[in-house]
Amino acid sequence: KDFTFWNHLIGFSSRLLYQLDIVILSFFTSLAVLGDYTVALTISNVFFIVPQIIQKLSTLSFSQVEKTSDAVGLGYTIKYNFILSVAQYAVFLIFGYWIIAFFGPQNPDGVLYYSFFIVTGVTLYNIARPWIAYSFVRLNNKTIFFELFAPVGLLAIAIYSIAAAYGGVDAVAKSNILTYGLAAVLSIGYVTYRLRIFPQFSLFSPVEKRLVKKWLQR
Protein backbone atom coordinates (compact mmCIF):
# COMPACT_ATOMS: atom_id res chain seq x y z
CA LYS A 1 0.00 0.00 0.00
CA ASP A 2 2.97 2.33 0.46
CA PHE A 3 4.85 1.50 -2.74
CA THR A 4 3.25 -0.84 -5.27
CA PHE A 5 -0.19 0.75 -5.48
CA TRP A 6 1.13 4.29 -5.90
CA ASN A 7 3.91 3.15 -8.19
CA HIS A 8 1.24 1.58 -10.41
CA LEU A 9 -0.73 4.85 -10.46
CA ILE A 10 2.43 6.77 -11.37
CA GLY A 11 3.04 4.32 -14.22
CA PHE A 12 -0.56 4.71 -15.36
CA SER A 13 -0.35 8.51 -15.31
CA SER A 14 2.89 8.34 -17.31
CA ARG A 15 1.29 6.13 -19.97
CA LEU A 16 -1.69 8.49 -19.99
CA LEU A 17 0.66 11.38 -20.71
CA TYR A 18 2.20 9.44 -23.62
CA GLN A 19 -1.15 8.42 -25.17
CA LEU A 20 -3.56 11.13 -24.05
CA ASP A 21 -3.32 13.23 -27.20
CA ILE A 22 -4.50 10.39 -29.45
CA VAL A 23 -7.51 9.75 -27.21
CA ILE A 24 -8.55 13.39 -27.22
CA LEU A 25 -7.94 13.74 -30.96
CA SER A 26 -10.31 10.85 -31.68
CA PHE A 27 -13.22 13.15 -30.75
CA PHE A 28 -12.17 15.96 -33.08
CA THR A 29 -10.66 14.59 -36.29
CA SER A 30 -11.18 12.10 -39.12
CA LEU A 31 -9.92 8.52 -39.05
CA ALA A 32 -7.48 9.14 -41.91
CA VAL A 33 -5.71 11.99 -40.13
CA LEU A 34 -5.92 10.13 -36.84
CA GLY A 35 -4.19 7.16 -38.49
CA ASP A 36 -1.22 9.27 -39.57
CA TYR A 37 -0.94 10.78 -36.12
CA THR A 38 -1.13 7.35 -34.48
CA VAL A 39 1.77 6.11 -36.61
CA ALA A 40 3.77 9.22 -35.68
CA LEU A 41 3.00 8.74 -31.99
CA THR A 42 3.96 5.06 -32.08
CA ILE A 43 7.29 5.79 -33.76
CA SER A 44 7.97 8.71 -31.41
CA ASN A 45 7.40 6.58 -28.32
CA VAL A 46 10.45 4.53 -29.31
CA PHE A 47 12.53 7.51 -28.22
CA PHE A 48 11.39 6.96 -24.64
CA ILE A 49 13.14 3.59 -24.38
CA VAL A 50 16.79 4.52 -23.72
CA PRO A 51 16.01 7.37 -21.27
CA GLN A 52 13.56 5.09 -19.45
CA ILE A 53 16.32 2.50 -19.05
CA ILE A 54 18.60 5.21 -17.67
CA GLN A 55 15.85 6.27 -15.27
CA LYS A 56 15.39 2.75 -13.94
CA LEU A 57 19.14 2.19 -13.58
CA SER A 58 19.50 5.56 -11.87
CA THR A 59 16.76 4.70 -9.38
CA LEU A 60 18.61 1.52 -8.44
CA SER A 61 21.91 3.39 -8.19
CA PHE A 62 20.53 6.14 -5.95
CA SER A 63 19.02 3.52 -3.65
CA GLN A 64 22.48 2.04 -3.05
CA VAL A 65 24.48 5.18 -2.25
CA GLU A 66 24.67 7.55 0.67
CA LYS A 67 22.84 10.88 0.46
CA THR A 68 26.18 12.69 0.66
CA SER A 69 26.93 11.42 -2.88
CA ASP A 70 23.56 12.40 -4.34
CA ALA A 71 24.62 15.70 -5.90
CA VAL A 72 27.59 14.12 -7.68
CA GLY A 73 25.61 11.07 -8.77
CA LEU A 74 22.75 13.21 -10.06
CA GLY A 75 25.23 15.33 -12.01
CA TYR A 76 26.71 12.27 -13.74
CA THR A 77 23.26 10.88 -14.53
CA ILE A 78 22.07 14.18 -15.97
CA LYS A 79 25.18 14.44 -18.15
CA TYR A 80 24.94 10.99 -19.70
CA ASN A 81 21.18 11.11 -20.02
CA PHE A 82 21.39 14.49 -21.77
CA ILE A 83 24.06 13.26 -24.20
CA LEU A 84 22.09 10.14 -25.13
CA SER A 85 18.77 12.00 -25.39
CA VAL A 86 20.23 14.64 -27.69
CA ALA A 87 22.09 11.98 -29.70
CA GLN A 88 18.94 10.00 -30.45
CA TYR A 89 17.13 13.25 -31.29
CA ALA A 90 19.89 14.02 -33.79
CA VAL A 91 19.45 10.54 -35.28
CA PHE A 92 15.77 11.30 -35.79
CA LEU A 93 16.47 14.67 -37.41
CA ILE A 94 18.93 13.08 -39.84
CA PHE A 95 17.29 9.73 -40.55
CA GLY A 96 13.67 10.41 -39.55
CA TYR A 97 12.25 10.22 -43.05
CA TRP A 98 13.90 6.86 -43.78
CA ILE A 99 12.88 5.48 -40.38
CA ILE A 100 9.26 6.41 -41.08
CA ALA A 101 9.39 5.19 -44.69
CA PHE A 102 10.58 1.80 -43.41
CA PHE A 103 7.21 1.30 -41.72
CA GLY A 104 5.43 2.09 -44.99
CA PRO A 105 2.72 4.59 -44.00
CA GLN A 106 0.55 5.91 -46.82
CA ASN A 107 1.44 9.51 -45.97
CA PRO A 108 5.09 9.53 -44.82
CA ASP A 109 5.41 13.32 -45.14
CA GLY A 110 2.46 13.87 -42.81
CA VAL A 111 3.76 11.30 -40.34
CA LEU A 112 7.20 12.95 -40.40
CA TYR A 113 5.61 16.35 -39.76
CA TYR A 114 3.71 15.13 -36.70
CA SER A 115 6.67 13.07 -35.49
CA PHE A 116 8.95 16.10 -35.44
CA PHE A 117 6.85 17.88 -32.82
CA ILE A 118 6.20 14.75 -30.78
CA VAL A 119 9.86 13.65 -30.72
CA THR A 120 10.93 17.18 -29.80
CA GLY A 121 8.53 17.12 -26.86
CA VAL A 122 9.62 13.62 -25.86
CA THR A 123 13.26 14.75 -25.86
CA LEU A 124 12.47 17.67 -23.58
CA TYR A 125 10.75 15.36 -21.11
CA ASN A 126 13.56 12.80 -21.31
CA ILE A 127 16.02 15.40 -20.04
CA ALA A 128 14.12 15.51 -16.71
CA ARG A 129 14.30 11.76 -16.07
CA PRO A 130 17.33 11.81 -13.69
CA TRP A 131 15.42 14.12 -11.33
CA ILE A 132 12.37 11.84 -11.53
CA ALA A 133 14.54 8.80 -10.80
CA TYR A 134 16.01 10.55 -7.77
CA SER A 135 12.58 11.46 -6.41
CA PHE A 136 11.47 7.81 -6.46
CA VAL A 137 14.23 6.97 -3.97
CA ARG A 138 14.06 9.97 -1.66
CA LEU A 139 10.29 10.61 -1.59
CA ASN A 140 7.18 8.57 -0.92
CA ASN A 141 5.43 7.43 -4.12
CA LYS A 142 2.06 8.60 -2.83
CA THR A 143 3.50 12.07 -2.34
CA ILE A 144 5.04 12.08 -5.82
CA PHE A 145 1.78 11.01 -7.42
CA PHE A 146 -0.38 13.71 -5.82
CA GLU A 147 2.17 16.53 -5.92
CA LEU A 148 3.69 15.92 -9.36
CA PHE A 149 2.18 13.31 -11.66
CA ALA A 150 -1.51 14.03 -11.03
CA PRO A 151 -1.14 17.80 -11.64
CA VAL A 152 0.96 17.17 -14.76
CA GLY A 153 -1.71 14.78 -16.05
CA LEU A 154 -4.47 17.34 -15.50
CA LEU A 155 -2.38 20.00 -17.20
CA ALA A 156 -1.87 17.70 -20.20
CA ILE A 157 -5.61 17.04 -20.46
CA ALA A 158 -6.30 20.79 -20.52
CA ILE A 159 -3.60 21.58 -23.11
CA TYR A 160 -4.50 18.77 -25.51
CA SER A 161 -8.23 19.40 -25.20
CA ILE A 162 -7.90 23.12 -25.99
CA ALA A 163 -5.49 22.39 -28.85
CA ALA A 164 -7.77 19.74 -30.38
CA ALA A 165 -10.90 21.88 -30.06
CA TYR A 166 -9.43 25.02 -31.59
CA GLY A 167 -6.59 23.84 -33.85
CA GLY A 168 -7.16 20.18 -34.67
CA VAL A 169 -4.41 17.67 -35.24
CA ASP A 170 -1.82 20.29 -36.22
CA ALA A 171 -2.25 22.16 -32.94
CA VAL A 172 -2.19 18.93 -30.92
CA ALA A 173 1.05 17.85 -32.60
CA LYS A 174 2.67 21.21 -31.80
CA SER A 175 1.27 21.21 -28.26
CA ASN A 176 3.43 18.17 -27.48
CA ILE A 177 6.37 20.55 -27.18
CA LEU A 178 4.47 22.70 -24.67
CA THR A 179 3.06 19.74 -22.72
CA TYR A 180 6.29 17.78 -22.39
CA GLY A 181 8.34 20.92 -21.89
CA LEU A 182 6.15 22.04 -18.99
CA ALA A 183 6.18 18.51 -17.56
CA ALA A 184 9.99 18.53 -17.62
CA VAL A 185 10.26 21.99 -16.02
CA LEU A 186 7.71 21.09 -13.33
CA SER A 187 9.48 17.80 -12.59
CA ILE A 188 12.91 19.42 -12.26
CA GLY A 189 11.53 22.32 -10.24
CA TYR A 190 9.52 20.04 -7.97
CA VAL A 191 12.43 17.73 -7.12
CA THR A 192 14.83 20.65 -6.64
CA TYR A 193 12.44 22.46 -4.31
CA ARG A 194 11.20 19.41 -2.44
CA LEU A 195 14.58 17.76 -1.86
CA ARG A 196 16.90 20.77 -2.04
CA ILE A 197 19.17 18.87 -4.43
CA PHE A 198 21.53 20.71 -6.76
CA PRO A 199 23.55 18.49 -9.11
CA GLN A 200 27.31 18.83 -9.26
CA PHE A 201 28.73 18.69 -12.77
CA SER A 202 32.22 17.94 -14.01
CA LEU A 203 33.45 17.67 -17.57
CA PHE A 204 35.43 14.53 -16.79
CA SER A 205 35.37 12.59 -13.52
CA PRO A 206 38.55 10.86 -12.23
CA VAL A 207 37.12 7.52 -13.35
CA GLU A 208 36.37 8.88 -16.83
CA LYS A 209 39.89 10.32 -17.09
CA ARG A 210 41.40 6.94 -16.21
CA LEU A 211 39.22 5.19 -18.79
CA VAL A 212 40.16 7.69 -21.50
CA LYS A 213 43.84 7.42 -20.60
CA LYS A 214 43.67 3.63 -20.68
CA TRP A 215 41.92 3.72 -24.08
CA LEU A 216 44.54 6.09 -25.55
CA GLN A 217 47.37 3.83 -24.35
CA ARG A 218 46.09 0.88 -26.38
Side-chain angles (χ1 to χ4, degrees):
K1 68 181 179 66
D2 292 329
F3 178 81
T4 305
F5 176 74
W6 296 107
N7 185 259
H8 175 75
L9 285 183
I10 288 173
F12 172 78
S13 62
S14 297
R15 289 192 296 273
L16 184 66
L17 179 65
Y18 307 155
Q19 303 291 333
L20 181 62
D21 47 350
I22 198 71
V23 176
I24 293 175
L25 261 181
S26 64
F27 295 100
F28 294 95
T29 191
S30 66
L31 287 178
V33 175
L34 188 64
D36 289 340
Y37 191 90
T38 302
V39 174
L41 185 64
T42 302
I43 293 172
S44 301
N45 281 344
V46 172
F47 291 86
F48 277 125
I49 295 175
V50 172
Q52 280 181 331
I53 293 173
I54 295 175
Q55 178 180 321
K56 293 180 184 299
L57 291 173
S58 300
T59 301
L60 292 173
S61 298
F62 285 128
S63 68
Q64 299 299 315
V65 299
E66 298 293 332
K67 287 187 177 181
T68 53
S69 302
D70 283 353
V72 175
L74 184 59
Y76 287 147
T77 306
I78 292 170
K79 180 172 71 174
Y80 287 115
N81 178 72
F82 179 82
I83 292 172
L84 290 171
S85 296
V86 172
Q88 68 176 15
Y89 183 61
V91 169
F92 170 78
L93 293 179
I94 298 170
F95 301 105
Y97 182 83
W98 290 276
I99 294 172
I100 291 169
F102 174 80
F103 292 94
Q106 293 183 351
N107 183 18
D109 291 330
V111 173
L112 179 63
Y113 177 78
Y114 300 142
S115 296
F116 169 76
F117 297 108
I118 302 173
V119 174
T120 300
V122 165
T123 303
L124 292 175
Y125 188 65
N126 284 338
I127 292 173
R129 289 190 180 276
W131 284 271
I132 296 172
Y134 181 71
S135 71
F136 287 155
V137 176
R138 301 305 182 208
L139 290 173
N140 181 277
N141 276 10
K142 179 180 179 181
T143 300
I144 299 170
F145 174 75
F146 280 113
E147 293 184 354
L148 178 61
F149 282 90
V152 166
L154 293 174
L155 180 64
I157 292 173
I159 292 174
Y160 286 134
S161 297
I162 294 171
Y166 291 97
V169 65
D170 186 69
V172 171
K174 293 176 180 177
S175 68
N176 277 277
I177 297 177
L178 176 62
T179 302
Y180 284 118
L182 285 175
V185 170
L186 290 173
S187 298
I188 295 171
Y190 170 76
V191 175
T192 302
Y193 173 79
R194 199 73 166 70
L195 295 171
R196 303 298 179 183
I197 180 73
F198 299 94
Q200 294 181 14
F201 297 101
S202 62
L203 185 59
F204 292 106
S205 69
V207 174
E208 291 168 331
K209 290 178 181 177
R210 288 197 299 269
L211 290 173
V212 171
K213 184 178 180 180
K214 185 177 180 180
W215 181 79
L216 292 175
Q217 290 174 346
R218 288 185 174 181

